[in-house]
Amino acid sequence: MNRRLTVVLLAFCAVMAVGAQSDIWRSDSLQEVVVTGTGTQHLLKNAPVQTEVITSKMLRNYGGQSLQDILAGLTASFSFNEDDMGSQMQLNGLGNDYILVLIDGKRIHGDVGGQNDLSLIDPQNIEKIEIVKGASSALYGSDAIAGVINVITKKHDEGLLVENSTRGGSYGDLRQHNGLGIAVGKVKSYTNFQLQHSDGWQNTATEDPSQTEFLITDSRNKTVNRHTNWQVSERLTYEPIKNLELYAEGSTYWKRIYRPSGKYAAVDVKTYDMEYKNQSLAAGGKWKLNKTDQVTLDVNWDRHAYYYYFTAITLTDGYDPYGNFTPYYPYFPDDEELQSDQRRTMAHLKGIFSLPYNNQLSGGLEWRYDYLEAPMRVDGGVARDNTEAAYVQDEFRYTFSPKVAANITAGLRLNHNGQFGNRLTPKISGMLSLGSDIRLRATWSQGFKTPTPKEQSYRYVRYMNGTYLYLGNENLPPQTSNYYSVSGEWNWQGLNVTVTGYLNNVDNMITLVTIPNSQAPAEYIVKYDPIKTRQYQNLESAETKGIDLSVRYRLNREWMLGGSYSYLDTDAKKYDTNHDRLVDVTIDGMAHHKGSWFATWNHDISKSYHLGVGLYGRMSSKRYYQINGDGKGYQIWRIATNHEFPVSKKWLFRLEAGIDNIFDYVDDTPHGLHLGTTTPGRTVYGTLTVRFSQGKKLRFTNNKSNFKSNENETD
């Protein structure tokens, strides 16, 4: 392995040496317009809040399979450990519950065991991704303590757009994307379909020896189970008058996780699969009052339902057709049992206004209602929560000289929660521009997060390597945080270097803690006889701190190199009532060192053929957990190629092909213990995209029913 790495690194250095002889030109990525940090538009180089952008060009070069694949491969701050219960995402030491995921500025809704289901996002429809680290509750409310990921989707303004993308790869990997866009006069429509499937894989057939009576080496449990999901979404927009756009959109989503059944009753016998059904509806509009001022309104409803889909006759607690609870109720193959039905309704009114003396004011009102129905997992079957909020933010820019300017952004949010009352969360950020090449930024922000209905009320039993009992906690107070960061950015002749140091103090952080069975309700212990009981509890203190480094260097119009490194340290303490002392608690999934790097080459071979080649790598040191062992460190390399064939102004053919995990690394830790990575080893993939685009807008002709391009508009 060391010899292979040496060869690759030497090649990497050779590329830099050759490319450095070419003419240098400034990176165009600094001209990206970003909105996530302040909720208002800024060029990336002038954004007062430090923002990391994965551009459309980076996405095309990388050819990512999914959002988690993209984030893990192109930035060092994220880590994932995907399993049946979700992506297990972590950002700078804090897990999924503290990371707000947005699609075009709107919250994603798709909980899977406490983890957002990122397969709701079609990677073929992503234009770019904006990442803001640290508490952003002043602007975005709850969940934004670790940071915000804003996925910006592609905007389809063509008169007629038809696109098909099909990806195939190892282990039965299939990714299908179809899009149909139509613009007729003042009406635009875009319909998106995506299908994802994998046969899954098994990195080991060995079960954790400490949890089995004898060594099991022929388990049927897979590292990643076979799964299929599909989604259909529709977005309609209408411009009744100039500067006013109205929209309505909706989607439906289905997912099934197929679990193989083995011969060991306590380990790998499965009698049901997992099934998920999502629906969403949204409507709203944007009214541009003038060139700078605007008002937006968004109303949305989302539902995420989780079921057991039985594959064998099973006797378990359930409800008969008349709604009566029945112990040892018989379920038959193809029967479904509802585990949780989460529904969320939100309304958001926002305005952005320019004021005299280089001020820009934005503010808004939000209302949110959460509903959880879980007959088998919540006492009483139902839990609810509601939150209202009002926020305001002011951006002020002062120019000291033609080369020196300062930007101050200050915001304040008032939250009112039905259970926990009122809470103010402030934020202030500052940026000092020293010429065109140096930016200095600093941020202090507070976060606020109330316990979710699941954390308060949910009860879950996991049967794998013994019985694990997971309990909610009705006595959880809200979590608060103070986030501090300072960063410096240097741009010089195509070179961009950014260094950020941060400290995030979280008070009353909610996490799963292993408790003695004697502290759990006696009826649950008698009923389930768990080997471990874990409950959501507040920590006395939790702190994450670290340094992020990012380097990107465009040598010329063809070569681009870069990398990022993240150092993380955490410190968390829980009060031990039995011994009257504070004890250290591990924040699950943290790793001290993570890194990613890349080198890409793009060249127009001819007018009808473009070639792109990319070499990518990522690494992580050991990941630490409270129970079930630590995850091994790893290093993974990837090569990706893309080939574009613009046959005409209307037709585009694109082929992507590559090899992931070139050196075939596999973590074969026994089932039941934590993995550093779930990769199956070396895999290959290929994607074919065909795109037809006709004009920018279409209209009906006077005497014909067919479409026709508007005059004076090019293809």
Side-chain angles (χ1 to χ4, degrees), residues 139-151:
L139 192 60
Y140 293 106
S142 188
D143 305 332
I145 286 181
V148 179
I149 304 168
N150 191 9
V151 177

Side-chain angles (χ1 to χ4, degrees), residues 88-316:
Q88 310 293 335
M89 177 170 55
Q90 192 178 79
L91 170 61
N92 285 352
L94 295 177
N96 184 89
D97 287 345
Y98 302 94
I99 305 168
L100 180 61
V101 182
L102 307 173
I103 302 178
D104 294 326
K106 304 179 185 65
R107 290 169 176 260
I108 187 175
H109 183 72
D111 179 272
V112 181
Q115 304 287 326
N116 276 322
D117 186 357
L118 299 183
S119 61
L120 286 164
I121 301 172
D122 184 355
Q124 292 293 332
N125 199 35
I126 300 176
E127 176 66 25
K128 65 178 179 178
I129 303 170
E130 298 179 7
I131 302 164
V132 175
K133 301 170 187 175
S136 298
S137 294
L139 192 60
Y140 293 106
S142 188
D143 305 332
I145 286 181
V148 179
I149 304 168
N150 191 9
V151 177
I152 311 297
T153 60
K154 295 177 181 178
K155 302 300 181 285
H156 305 282
D157 294 327
E158 297 90 339
L160 175 63
L161 169 68
V162 182
E163 55 186 357
N164 175 89
S165 179
T166 303
R167 175 186 177 122
S170 304
Y171 300 98
D173 181 57
L174 174 64
R175 310 278 163 151
Q176 177 66 36
H177 161 83
N178 294 96
L180 174 63
I182 301 174
V184 182
K186 298 180 178 181
V187 179
K188 299 177 185 177
S189 166
Y190 183 72
T191 306
N192 188 87
F193 170 79
Q194 66 157 325
L195 170 70
Q196 303 177 3
H197 173 82
S198 171
D199 288 341
W201 57 85
Q202 185 184 56
N203 289 349
T204 179
T206 302
E207 294 289 334
D208 174 19
S210 67
Q211 302 296 335
T212 55
E213 296 181 4
F214 54 92
L215 183 62
I216 295 175
T217 59
D218 57 347
S219 169
R220 289 288 304 281
N221 281 322
K222 288 189 173 184
T223 306
V224 172
N225 282 322
R226 178 172 170 247
H227 56 274
T228 303
N229 65 70
W230 58 261
Q231 182 185 51
V232 179
S233 61
E234 168 68 24
R235 179 180 173 88
L236 286 169
T237 61
Y238 173 56
E239 299 179 12
I241 58 174
K242 185 178 180 180
N243 296 327
L244 175 63
E245 181 181 83
L246 306 177
Y247 77 90
E249 60 186 17
S251 69
T252 184
Y253 170 88
W254 175 89
K255 182 175 183 177
R256 177 96 169 266
I257 298 174
Y258 305 88
R259 306 195 303 164
S261 186
K263 61 183 180 180
Y264 300 103
V267 173
D268 61 359
V269 171
K270 308 293 192 302
T271 61
Y272 57 85
D273 294 336
M274 299 176 180
E275 189 174 64
Y276 305 89
K277 299 176 183 179
N278 288 23
Q279 293 85 37
S280 69
L281 295 171
K286 177 189 292 187
W287 182 19
K288 294 182 179 180
L289 305 176
N290 49 50
K291 292 183 179 180
T292 58
D293 301 348
Q294 65 181 37
V295 177
T296 60
L297 174 65
D298 299 288
V299 180
N300 55 280
W301 172 87
D302 300 277
R303 182 194 183 202
H304 174 82
Y306 164 41
Y307 299 85
Y308 284 168
Y309 185 94
F310 289 93
T311 55
I313 297 176
T314 305
L315 298 177
T316 186

